[in-house]
Amino acid sequence: MEKPEVEVRARSVFLPPQTPPTVNNAPAHHEKHTTRSDQVTRIDALATAPGVTRESFAHLDEKAILRKMDLRLIPMLALLYLLSFLDRGNIGNARIEGLVEDLGMSGPQYNWCLTAFFFTYAAFEVPSNLLLKKLRPSIWLPSIMVSWGIVMTLMGIVQNYHGLLIARIFLGVTEAGLFPGVAYYITMWYCRHEAQFRQALFFSAASVAGAFSGLLAFGIAKMDGIGGLEGWRWIFILEGILTVVVAILAFFTLFDFPETASFLTEEERAFVVYRLKYQGQQKHDSVRVAQDDSFQWKYVTAAFLDWQIYMNILVYWGIVAPLYGISLFLPTIIRGLGYSSATAQLLTVPIYITASVLAVVTAWVSDRLGKRSPFILGCLGIMAIGFIMCLSTGTPGVVYAGVFIAAAALYPAFPGNITWLSNNLAGSTKRATGQAIQIAMGNLAGDAAMASNFYRSKDSPRYILGHALELGFICMGILAGLFLVWNYTRINKKRANQMAEGAHNGYTPEELSQFGDRAINFRYFL
């Protein structure tokens, strides 16, 4: 659980005099002759200069700055993730268009192709996030996107099971960096009370991808026979080419971090950085502690040893096991209810569209209320109801309604869970590492070894085992979430009492900064 708080030493904190910062209100394009490193150093110095407070930026329109960030960041991020989710999940659409039969594969071999993706996907997530922190996002993210687009295109010409298996392994390697990278990237622009709405806008692309995938597969499958290729091959080829085209566009449209954002003035950038550095503590606290954003291996180690990351992984499993079970097998489940392949593709569309809208609405309310756990636990409860409906009967309408309800709840829960952990990790290096650990371990155990094997061909059409296992994971997620709420509440009360007793006076702000989310002035987000 929580390690003992740092001992109190008899040394007072130095609070600097209140002096206003000197900033430049001109747009950033006048700085093109300076290096990026110089810009970062200058903006960080302005944001953390002695005497700088939030009141120093009171004349700026915070909402207008957020709108500028939203318009320039979120649409491209959502498009990147839409294509990522489309490319990893379109194998489910290809399956009902004849992929398994044409390649002479068995049901277990198909499941192994799904599983292989997640092993490499999980293995490369933490290294990728560390590279993203060291390198520029505008270079790293489009580069890995070009790579997986090429792999996806080549998947359209595989001739047997082994070819498909190898292609899926390399797809996992190349796609690994996108989701944890973007999840971390958003936290480098938005404060923790704003992050879930943006994460939901970005993640809702996954549910849109589910709808778009069904429609696109329905249309592309009509190309069966063109060029001597089966329709399912064209699904891989055309969607892979689309990914490469968008990746090339992303090289020129993605921004890096706030310190070098050309669409903000120098003063606006300093304000954005100020907000990020001083989040995580109470407004009435008498000491200001800027979060340490330097790269140090001790912060990477701290992430691997943090109890809250592993409890969040259990919640993550309760969400992503059903998520991937549905995304990979939804067309197959619906077709098993007696519908044709074309109808099964189209019936996935309303499920994903509804889930996308609910994800954004739930995130907006969660940010407004400053709460994560009630919405995550509530969604997990609704997901359980949906799978209970699937287990209770084989009636097509009831099963479809159950899957609909489960999907509508799991898509709002996912960005909430990702944001909840990021809210409670202080320091960008620990946050980058922690988010990658959560996503990697969640995908490896929750998806690769489990979800992709839950829905076996021999269990069709009821898929009792698959639905029951998903329900079990949901229950585990609920229990882990309740434990997190209890322990976060306990720790917050303990730290509030320590602050009231003046325990923070034994440390300088720099020392407290290095403790990150383990410092007594940091409050966990509930």
Side-chain angles (χ1 to χ4, degrees):
M1 308 309 170
E2 172 79 349
K3 292 182 179 179
E5 301 293 349
V6 294
E7 64 179 49
V8 179
R9 287 172 283 174
R11 183 164 69 250
S12 62
V13 174
F14 171 71
L15 294 177
Q18 298 297 302
T19 56
T22 301
V23 293
N24 194 321
N25 287 319
H29 50 251
H30 75 285
E31 297 177 345
K32 288 184 178 178
H33 63 282
T34 64
T35 66
R36 291 179 178 273
S37 178
D38 290 340
Q39 292 182 44
V40 171
T41 300
R42 174 170 172 76
I43 296 302
D44 283 351
L46 290 172
T48 59
V52 176
T53 66
R54 191 175 181 87
E55 286 67 36
S56 304
F57 304 99
H59 58 287
L60 297 178
D61 188 339
E62 185 174 10
K63 291 183 178 179
I65 294 172
L66 288 172
R67 282 195 298 270
K68 284 199 286 186
M69 288 162 52
D70 290 342
L71 291 173
R72 286 165 176 81
L73 303 178
I74 302 302
M76 179 53 68
L77 296 179
L79 179 59
L80 298 187
Y81 191 55
L82 184 152
L83 292 172
S84 170
F85 209 83
L86 184 69
D87 289 343
R88 84 178 65 163
N90 58 13
I91 191 172
N93 301 108
R95 181 185 187 182
I96 68 173
E97 296 297 339
L99 175 145
V100 172
E101 293 79 8
D102 290 341
L103 295 184
M105 293 165 54
S106 65
Q109 286 179 325
Y110 173 78
N111 283 351
W112 267 112
C113 288
L114 302 183
T115 301
F117 167 87
F118 290 110
F119 282 125
T120 51
Y121 184 85
F124 284 87
E125 285 182 304
V126 173
S128 180
N129 253 25
L130 295 179
L131 282 171
L132 177 67
K133 180 168 174 59
K134 299 288 287 185
L135 303 175
R136 292 168 52 190
S138 61
I139 299 297
W140 180 248
L141 294 179
S143 295
I144 62 176
M145 191 175 181
V146 168
S147 300
W148 95 61
I150 293 172
V151 172
M152 175 56 56
T153 303
L154 294 176
M155 197 181 299
I157 60 173
V158 298
Q159 298 300 314
N160 51 44
Y161 159 65
H162 293 99
L164 182 62
L165 180 66
I166 292 170
R168 290 287 294 182
I169 288 172
F170 278 98
L171 186 65
V173 172
T174 51
E175 272 204 43
L178 185 78
F179 178 63
V182 174
Y184 162 67
Y185 176 81
I186 287 175
T187 69
M188 295 301 292
W189 287 85
Y190 297 96
C191 291
R192 62 183 194 164
H193 64 279
E194 305 157 344
Q196 186 176 338
F197 180 63
R198 278 76 188 184
Q199 294 279 13
L201 288 173
F202 147 65
F203 179 71
S204 65
S207 52
V208 173
F212 186 55
S213 178
L215 290 173
L216 196 58
F218 175 75
I220 294 177
K222 302 298 182 182
M223 296 178 64
D224 186 45
I226 295 179
L229 299 176
E230 295 88 350
W232 63 264
R233 294 186 184 275
W234 283 112
I235 292 175
F236 292 147
I237 292 170
L238 293 183
E239 292 180 6
I241 292 173
L242 175 62
T243 296
V244 173
V245 171
V246 173
I248 294 172
L249 177 65
F251 275 111
F252 304 100
T253 56
L254 272 181
F255 293 91
D256 292 317
F257 294 125
E259 292 90 339
T260 58
S262 58
F263 61 88
L264 297 175
T265 67
E266 187 175 84
E267 189 175 24
E268 289 173 337
R269 284 180 284 151
F271 177 49
V272 172
V273 172
Y274 175 88
R275 296 166 72 245
L276 293 167
K277 283 188 174 292
Y278 294 105
Q279 61 178 328
Q281 56 196 74
Q282 302 300 302
K283 292 181 179 179
H284 58 266
D285 285 348
S286 59
V287 57
R288 292 192 318 147
V289 179
Q291 292 193 19
D292 188 347
D293 291 329
S294 64
F295 180 86
Q296 297 184 51
W297 284 106
K298 67 178 183 180
Y299 297 140
V300 176
T301 302
F304 277 98
L305 298 177
D306 196 332
W307 67 272
Q308 62 170 320
I309 292 175
Y310 298 100
M311 292 306 301
N312 266 284
I313 287 172
L314 297 181
V315 181
Y316 189 92
W317 287 354
I319 298 169
V320 295
L323 170 65
Y324 281 102
I326 286 178
S327 66
L328 293 172
F329 292 96
L330 184 58
T332 302
I333 293 171
I334 295 177
R335 189 180 65 170
L337 298 176
Y339 298 102
S340 67
S341 295
T343 302
Q345 301 280 27
L346 294 176
L347 282 174
T348 65
V349 176
I351 293 177
Y352 287 119
I353 294 297
T354 303
S356 178
V357 172
L358 289 177
V360 174
V361 172
T362 302
W364 183 83
V365 176
S366 177
D367 277 349
R368 294 277 291 187
L369 297 179
K371 296 289 184 181
R372 303 286 180 237
S373 55
F375 297 95
I376 297 170
L377 293 171
C379 286
L380 283 166
I382 295 172
M383 289 163 58
I385 293 172
F387 280 103
I388 290 172
M389 291 174 62
C390 294
L391 284 168
S392 64
T393 180
T395 305
V398 176
V399 174
Y400 181 75
V403 174
F404 200 124
I405 290 171
L410 72 85
Y411 277 88
F414 189 90
N417 179 232
I418 294 295
T419 307
W420 196 17
L421 177 61
S422 71
N423 288 165
N424 292 325
L425 296 174
S428 62
T429 299
K430 183 178 181 182
R431 187 163 59 247
T433 308
Q435 287 188 273
I437 293 170
Q438 179 193 30
I439 296 168
M441 293 189 66
N443 285 333
L444 179 61
D447 306 326
M450 298 178 231
S452 58
N453 294 297
F454 283 178
Y455 292 94
R456 304 176 303 180
S457 299
K458 64 181 181 180
D459 296 331
S460 177
R462 290 291 305 278
Y463 295 106
I464 295 294
L465 177 64
H467 295 324
L469 289 171
E470 303 286 28
L471 181 60
F473 270 84
I474 292 168
C475 293
M476 178 185 66
I478 292 174
L479 293 175
L482 291 172
F483 176 82
L484 279 167
V485 172
W486 171 78
N487 211 27
Y488 281 153
T489 302
R490 180 187 65 83
I491 294 169
N492 283 348
K493 289 180 178 178
K494 177 182 177 182
R495 292 178 179 177
N497 291 334
Q498 289 179 312
M499 289 291 289
E501 294 168 358
H504 59 283
N505 289 326
Y507 293 88
T508 65
E510 291 75 18
E511 288 172 325
L512 288 174
S513 177
Q514 292 189 9
F515 286 118
D517 52 82
R518 308 307 290 268
I520 59 176
N521 66 306
F522 185 90
R523 298 295 181 273
Y524 287 117
F525 216 73
L526 296 174

